[in-house]
Amino acid sequence: MICLGIEGTAEKLGVGIVSMDGEILANVVKHQPLFGGIHPREAAQHHAENIKDVLKEALKKAGLDIKDIELVAFSKGPGMGPCLRVAAISARTISLSNSIPIVGANHCIGHIEIGRLVTGAKDPLTLYVSGGNSQVIAYDSGRYRVFGETLDIAVGNCIDQFARNTGLGNPGGPIVERYAKRGEYLPLPYIVKGMDLSFSGLLTAALKKAKNADIQDVCYSLQETAFSMLVEVTERAVAHTGKDELLLVGGVGINRRLQEMLALMAEEHDVNFYIPGPEVMGDNGAMIAWLGLLMYSSGTRHRLEDTTVIQRYRADEVEVNWR
Amino acid sequence: MKLIDKGAEANLYLDKDTIIKERIKKAYRVTELDETLRKSRTKREARLISFARRAGVPTPVIRDIDGNIVKMDFIKGEQVKDVLNRVLKDERKRICEEIGKHAGRLHKNNIIHGDMTTSNMILKGDRIFFIDFGLGEINDTVEAKGVDILVFKKSLRSTHYRFEKECLDAFIKGYSLEYEGYKDVLERLGSIEKRGRYFAKR
């Protein structure tokens, strides 16, 4: 079976094509050029204008015709309403016009499943970090359970907002990472609540500090503080769950310093650490396609009425029948 | 002296009846941050553990503090995390009500535990000991108390999901018996949850 997946939860629009044996045949991602934060309506507009081209490009890359697609999947949530709806409508159109089944997939679980697929991790504790999410997730009896998460904004959002408000530019992650290479440590608020975290106070303090401190020092300290918090709660979750594998997913996972810190922690606890390649680390269509295949092949069937979007679709709401 | 556990942030050694808890250096953290966290948490833990006991919550007696090392009495029991899913319903409810009472006693005295999960509670006989106060603080705000309860609630959801509701109900019963400010805290708990990313309406 061949599945086409459409990802559209935020500023990225992705179309991926994956076969049942786990081969990624195409994975095309296009994103809206950003000059500020993401405007949901404008991002949705971008997706609507580009879906045809992205779809064509993905099919071309895979060497397939739309008639070869046997299942279509889309990102059902969590994400921005207008963006989610463009992905859902596109998927419904493909499903109806080609008479093929459709499934709505949870975006967070998509990240985890494509991570497992490409790295070979079997039952990992997952740190999922991106512009919109920061969660520590592990599987247990039929569901992905959230062991820790941010109580306010996501880590990626914290770094992006910092970069925007200090004039460093967009997207903030790679820029802050570059500046952080030559900084020195300044104390910033470090907020961990059990396995949960908070980044909003850190953002405010870093912005305040940036007014009269060296920007490289602030970038360095912001990264060190935010990532130490993430590694600490992940470490606590490793001890709590006793899992012996760790998987890093989400756009912020591309950051080398975060990877390095997690690797050091994993080594200390004798845990195998897995990092998927950058092409599947951030939002992409292949992860939706692969999760769609897993769901469909284990019996999930969605009628057209079931294909609504859910903006606050949590990973722990999904009944997992493929594991 | 025997290494008995490698926890998330500390190594635990057992020397006769004494637990030696050493917050070890984390290679992933910059030295300044690492040292600040380890020292302040060790100090805080020792202080809050004594405060908590005075408030009526069983905790291990502290024998000595030295830098990143704290020595305390060994509580020979079982982590509530491992007990809760296996006991009968009545016992489960009793345990959770007792935990709620302890939380109420802490909050009545403005003590925030900071990591109130079932990993950090030990059942010995029919008493429940609270340990691991390293993330705690003295704080009289409704917000801090609300977050403290949220941490416990989420540990039920992730680790004791089959009994989430009955455990939480029993906890709240115990909490409200001990702490008269409970209404404000529970109300705040709701608004803290809604503030989170992708809060599911349940």
Side-chain angles (χ1 to χ4, degrees), chain A residues 132-133 140-141 145-146 149 152 185 190 194 196 220 224 232 235-236 240 257 261 268-269 311 314, chain B residues 7-8 24 26 28-30 33 41 81 114-115 119 135 147 150 154 158-159 161 197-200:
Chain A
N133 295 276
D140 188 11
S141 346
R145 317 271 167 190
V146 177
E149 64 190 311
D152 39 58
Y185 178 74
Y190 183 101
D196 287 339
Y220 174 75
E224 288 301 321
E232 183 184 349
E235 186 173 26
R236 196 160 287 135
H240 183 83
R257 177 61 182 142
M261 289 165 84
E268 198 183 306
H269 289 272
Q311 294 185 52
R314 286 181 62 90
Chain B
I24 48 167
K26 296 290 171 192
Y28 65 80
R29 276 195 300 237
V30 286
L33 176 61
R41 286 177 180 176
K81 177 180 82 172
D115 192 11
S119 280
L135 297 179
V147 173
L150 179 60
K154 288 170 97 160
S158 61
T159 313
Y161 38 85
R197 305 285 306 173
Y198 311 127
F199 167 73

Side-chain angles (χ1 to χ4, degrees), chain A residues 9-12 34 38 80 107 111 128-135 150 152-161 164 171-173 199 249-253 281-283, chain B residues 197-198:
Chain A
T9 53
E11 91 286 10
K12 288 199 180 77
L34 286 181
I38 306 169
M80 298 175 171
H107 173 89
H111 274 292
Y128 168 31
V129 276
S130 66
N133 295 276
S134 306
Q135 291 184 319
T150 177
D152 39 58
I153 58 173
V155 62
N157 188 230
C158 172
I159 294 173
D160 283 346
Q161 275 200 55
R164 269 205 304 281
F199 293 105
V249 302
V252 180
M281 194 68 128
D283 295 352
Chain B
R197 305 285 306 173
Y198 311 127

Side-chain angles (χ1 to χ4, degrees), chain A:
Chain A
M1 183 169 234
I2 291 174
C3 179
L4 182 142
I6 303 175
E7 154 63 30
T9 53
E11 91 286 10
K12 288 199 180 77
L13 172 69
V15 173
I17 302 173
V18 181
S19 67
M20 195 60 232
D21 55 5
E23 193 185 342
I24 299 172
L25 305 168
N27 199 11
V28 180
V29 179
K30 194 167 184 212
H31 66 85
Q32 182 201 12
L34 286 181
F35 305 101
I38 306 169
H39 189 301
R41 182 171 40 76
E42 286 168 11
Q45 187 98 36
H46 163 268
H47 297 351
E49 281 163 8
N50 287 282
I51 181 69
K52 234 168 108 182
D53 290 345
V54 176
L55 190 64
K56 269 190 194 156
E57 197 185 327
L59 285 167
K60 200 175 144 202
K61 277 218 169 121
L64 295 172
D65 186 83
I66 190 80
K67 297 270 174 291
D68 300 322
I69 304 299
E70 298 162 280
L71 173 68
V72 61
F74 68 98
S75 52
K76 186 177 172 71
M80 298 175 171
C83 305
L84 291 171
R85 280 190 281 277
V86 173
I89 290 168
S90 310
R92 281 181 214 131
T93 310
I94 294 171
S95 165
L96 287 174
S97 54
N98 295 282
S99 308
I100 54 169
I102 179 171
V103 285
N106 180 285
H107 173 89
C108 311
I109 298 180
H111 274 292
I112 300 174
E113 291 301 346
I114 198 85
R116 285 177 65 217
L117 172 70
V118 301
T119 64
K122 287 183 190 69
D123 182 26
L125 180 82
T126 303
L127 174 63
Y128 168 31
V129 276
S130 66
N133 295 276
S134 306
Q135 291 184 319
V136 183
I137 305 171
Y139 177 81
D140 188 11
S141 346
R143 275 190 201 223
Y144 279 102
R145 317 271 167 190
V146 177
F147 285 86
E149 64 190 311
T150 177
L151 294 171
D152 39 58
I153 58 173
V155 62
N157 188 230
C158 172
I159 294 173
D160 283 346
Q161 275 200 55
F162 174 80
R164 269 205 304 281
N165 288 300
T166 48
L168 291 180
N170 245 318
I175 303 174
V176 170
E177 183 174 7
R178 216 164 52 236
Y179 275 83
K181 286 210 171 99
R182 278 176 301 274
E184 276 178 41
Y185 178 74
L186 310 165
L188 286 170
Y190 183 101
I191 307 162
V192 161
K193 313 273 179 189
M195 282 182 268
D196 287 339
L197 339 109
S198 157
F199 293 105
S200 65
L202 173 61
L203 171 63
T204 311
L207 283 172
K208 216 165 140 192
K209 206 143 242 179
K211 287 196 179 125
N212 40 37
D214 184 289
I215 191 72
Q216 296 185 352
D217 292 349
V218 186
C219 285
Y220 174 75
S221 310
L222 174 63
Q223 260 198 193
E224 288 301 321
T225 308
F227 294 170
S228 292
M229 286 161 54
L230 286 168
V231 179
E232 183 184 349
V233 297
T234 309
E235 186 173 26
R236 196 160 287 135
V238 165
H240 183 83
T241 60
K243 301 270 182 194
D244 57 6
E245 294 178 319
L246 174 63
L247 176 67
L248 174 63
V249 302
V252 180
I254 292 165
N255 188 296
R256 292 283 171 159
R257 177 61 182 142
L258 179 60
Q259 294 181 359
E260 177 189 57
M261 289 165 84
L262 285 165
L264 287 166
M265 185 274 280
E267 199 187 311
E268 198 183 306
H269 289 272
D270 227 348
V271 163
N272 289 321
F273 180 34
Y274 298 94
I275 309 171
E279 64 289 348
V280 291
M281 194 68 128
D283 295 352
N284 65 88
M287 67 188 217
I288 301 299
W290 177 236
L291 177 53
L293 279 170
L294 291 174
M295 292 168 72
Y296 189 82
S297 61
S298 52
T300 302
R301 297 291 180 271
H302 288 165
R303 295 164 302 164
L304 210 56
E305 306 90 274
D306 306 324
T307 59
T308 49
V309 302
I310 306 175
Q311 294 185 52
R312 298 171 171 213
Y313 196 21
R314 286 181 62 90
D316 50 13
E317 289 177 74
V318 181
E319 270 184 54
V320 175
N321 53 4
W322 60 90
R323 283 191 61 166

Side-chain angles (χ1 to χ4, degrees), chain B residues 119-142:
Chain B
S119 280
N120 292 332
M121 301 165 187
I122 296 173
L123 179 70
K124 185 189 178 190
D126 58 0
R127 297 175 79 200
I128 293 158
F129 285 73
F130 274 26
I131 56 166
D132 251 330
F133 283 73
L135 297 179
E137 60 177 334
I138 298 289
N139 190 325
D140 64 357
T141 63
V142 178

